[in-house]
Amino acid sequence: MRHLMLAAAATLACAAPALSENRIDLIRPDAPELAARGPHPVGVRAASFTDPDRIDVIATTATGTPPTAERTLQAEIWYPAADGTEPGITYDTILRDGVTPTSLTGSAARDAAPAEGSFPLVILSHGYPGNRYLMSHLAENLASKGYVVVAADHPDSTYDDMGAFASTLVNRAVDQRFLLDSMAGLEDEIGAITDADTAAVVGYSMGGYGAMIFGGAGLSQTAIDRTEPERFIPPQKLLSRLAAGSEDHAALVDPRVKAIVAIAPWGRQHEFWDADGLAGMTKPLLLVAGSDDDVSIYDAIRQIFDQTTAATRHLLTFDHANHNAAAPIPAPVEAWAFSESLGRAPFDHYADPVWDSVRMNNVLQHFTTAFLDQHLKGEDRGAFLDLVPDAEDGVWTVDDAGTPDATHSYWPGFPERSAKGLMFETKNAGQ
């Protein structure tokens, strides 16, 4: 049986797309309007930020003062680059299995001179596990539209550094706040163009869990007091620092953050929030989910949508998509092959069984652009956010000159027939 599995893996590898590069910047011809790259060339720089005195969750025992240690986040910063910057870059990284190397090809330029101006800040936060390149398609796309974007490897939560899950539960929202403070403290030419007083957080899975907490949704008493499973229980009830109504949580939430995008946010399915905690979210919220998500559980994400009653919020749903909806880059070609260390092909970490990854990336780019432009730049993007909830109900009535008539209700920005399989629901604060 083993030799048959290996033979099948070899066949699969040969059947993988014959690409010379793993592009993260593809825009399909049928992509919605705001998925297109913006007017700026894009630069990217490596950065390292060290918190000198963070509680060491893994080293903390049942008694005694929790020890502290340095916590270093390796990051990439994408930003609008100066006119004339030549695009083209490869990012050298590894796959989900933690060992297989891969190179990703994008349109940024390493260490390019920045553009003049001041640009809002966006923090991207990967899942468990993940790394800073998992949503690099979105990072480059937003930077081209006038945003400074930072994404970091979260320690104990990356492909080759998976520590106890409790560390991610305690640290993720704190990491996001630390990244905001670190970017606000930059004194170089990137700091000079970064408007850290106008920021957003985009989080996927455990990144979405952190973003919800950082955005104001404090944890439930159930999360603090639970007795099982063990992996959900940090020592000494360290999660109490993130509890709804606690002074520590109130101090974590930051007025500089103007909007939250939570993609397949993890946590509600295990009662990490209740309705009271979710009511603490007052920042505009864009939720993104697949209707067949069996990790964060789609019904639980809908509970978040229903119970964040103090926020204006949207829910973008990809019909029949699973947990990987929209956030991950397209699966690198190396991910198609069987991984000895993982025991399967890493392909399923990136791809969805139903949806094309590039299409999902483009839809996410479109809606994230509209949402962030609205709330960080003050641009009127209401036409792209006030939609017939079920795209199937949209009516395309456009004449030969391309002019819609009064009955036209198809989603703005989407070419004819291209919004199929999507829903976009909105609830205002108070609903």
Side-chain angles (χ1 to χ4, degrees), residues 43-49 73-79 89-92 110-111 122 124 132-133 136 139 148-153 179 183:
V44 62
R45 294 189 183 182
S48 179
F49 302 115
L73 278 63
Q74 300 296 333
E76 298 281 356
I77 303 171
W78 289 266
Y79 53 91
I89 192 172
T90 58
Y91 306 100
D92 293 324
R110 177 66 66 182
D111 297 326
V122 179
L124 297 187
R132 61 190 185 271
Y133 301 112
S136 53
V148 174
V149 183
V150 61
D153 289 349
L179 282 171
M183 292 296 295

Side-chain angles (χ1 to χ4, degrees), residues 50-56 66-71 174 178 241:
T50 298
D51 187 341
D53 197 33
R54 184 79 66 87
I55 290 175
D56 188 335
T68 62
E70 289 186 349
R71 184 172 174 86
V174 182
F178 177 62
R241 297 166 179 265

